[in-house]
Amino acid sequence: MSDRCFKCFKPTNSCLCKYTKELDTGVKFVFLMHPKEAKRQRTGTGNLSHISLKDSEIIVGLNFEKNVRLQQLLSDSKYYPVMMYPGEEAWNAKKEGFKETVGSKTLLVLILDATWFCAKKMIEHNPFLLELPRFSFYGDYRSIFTFKHEPKPEYISTIESCYYLIKELQSVKMVDSRLDPEPLMNVFKEMIKFQLTAENERILGIRPNSHSYDDKYSKLKEVPEF
């Protein structure tokens, strides 16, 4: 058995934790992770975000209305909870009154960590989540995860969502401007390079296939320099 990392539980030769850095943002990030995401990708961007963000939590499940830990967090008066989800009524960092509404409370940000199809199912199972104050971006962003096809170009990964959210909160002085959020993007870039390199190695026969569908990929991918 190969040695494994105690943080991400991946074999040490595929662990990305050495590229992470813990960031103390003063924001409480909670990742609601679909069971398929938890099973399939122990170093997906939700896990990498959790490793990188101090005091963050992952809650795995499909139905959260009776989840004890989530309900504890939502009922804790020290937090102002928001659900990261777009909508016309959604707050953003620059929306008038948002900073004042949060006040001295700690911002509690719920983020769905799943494929977009599974995230939609999670919302269907948990309509109460959309009864929470919604939060979104004031900026327009595109993912650098270009080899993974998403339904819409503005759909970005969990770790990118955390990165841009921190940047926007810094712009209104809700997160210390001296904090450097770049380690989030740095480890994400390393993940992309690792995944593309591994896929090329499988195509070339250097690395064994990990999944039954790997055989259908035969075109070598360009590994970005970033």
Side-chain angles (χ1 to χ4, degrees):
M1 177 181 279
S2 60
D3 292 334
R4 290 184 177 269
C5 170
F6 290 109
K7 284 186 176 181
C8 68
F9 307 108
K10 292 286 285 185
T12 52
N13 61 359
S14 60
C15 169
L16 298 168
C17 293
K18 61 179 175 287
Y19 299 111
T20 64
K21 180 182 178 181
E22 188 178 68
L23 304 177
D24 186 359
T25 64
V27 175
K28 176 77 172 179
F29 287 91
V30 177
F31 304 101
L32 304 180
M33 184 179 288
H34 192 282
K36 287 184 178 180
E37 191 73 17
K39 182 179 180 180
R40 183 176 61 249
Q41 293 189 17
R42 287 181 174 172
T43 52
T45 68
N47 276 295
L48 289 174
S49 300
H50 169 54
I51 291 169
S52 301
L53 295 166
K54 186 176 181 178
D55 195 35
S56 64
E57 295 186 34
I58 290 176
I59 302 177
V60 178
L62 185 58
N63 294 297
F64 295 101
E65 190 164 10
K66 295 182 180 180
N67 183 278
V68 174
R69 179 55 181 157
L70 179 58
Q71 295 306 323
Q72 284 177 340
L73 291 167
L74 293 178
S75 62
D76 193 328
S77 60
K78 73 179 181 182
Y79 294 121
Y80 183 83
V82 295
M83 180 70 206
M84 282 294 292
Y85 206 83
E88 290 184 5
E89 71 277 25
W91 288 106
N92 65 58
K94 284 188 174 180
K95 196 166 185 177
E96 185 178 355
F98 175 69
K99 185 175 181 180
E100 292 73 20
T101 299
V102 176
S104 61
K105 293 186 176 184
T106 298
L107 189 62
L108 170 67
V109 180
L110 303 181
I111 298 179
L112 297 178
D113 187 54
T115 63
W116 287 102
F117 175 79
C118 288
K120 184 178 179 181
K121 292 296 181 182
M122 291 171 79
I123 288 296
E124 290 175 358
H125 283 279
N126 301 277
F128 81 97
L129 291 175
L130 295 188
E131 295 173 6
L132 297 169
R134 294 196 203 181
F135 195 69
S136 191
F137 304 108
Y138 61 74
D140 184 25
Y141 305 109
R142 296 292 181 269
S143 179
I144 62 170
F145 212 173
T146 52
F147 71 93
K148 184 177 179 181
H149 298 290
E150 299 290 4
K152 294 183 180 180
E154 63 269 24
Y155 287 0
I156 59 178
S157 67
T158 298
I159 202 164
E160 289 172 303
S161 294
C162 295
Y163 171 79
Y164 289 119
L165 175 57
I166 292 167
K167 296 277 283 185
E168 292 196 354
L169 290 172
Q170 285 179 317
S171 74
V172 294
K173 299 182 179 179
M174 292 183 70
V175 170
D176 192 335
S177 61
R178 294 169 295 182
L179 178 80
D180 182 9
E182 291 304 320
L184 287 168
M185 292 299 286
N186 292 341
V187 69
F188 184 44
K189 291 173 182 177
E190 293 297 333
M191 187 199 83
I192 292 172
K193 289 190 286 186
F194 176 82
Q195 289 188 356
L196 288 175
T197 299
E199 185 173 328
N200 286 344
E201 289 176 351
R202 284 192 289 269
I203 292 170
L204 294 171
I206 300 172
R207 179 188 292 260
N209 288 345
S210 302
H211 307 284
S212 58
Y213 52 77
D214 283 339
D215 285 333
K216 72 178 183 179
Y217 298 107
S218 58
K219 185 177 180 180
L220 293 175
K221 303 292 194 301
E222 181 180 352
V223 180
E225 293 292 335
F226 291 120

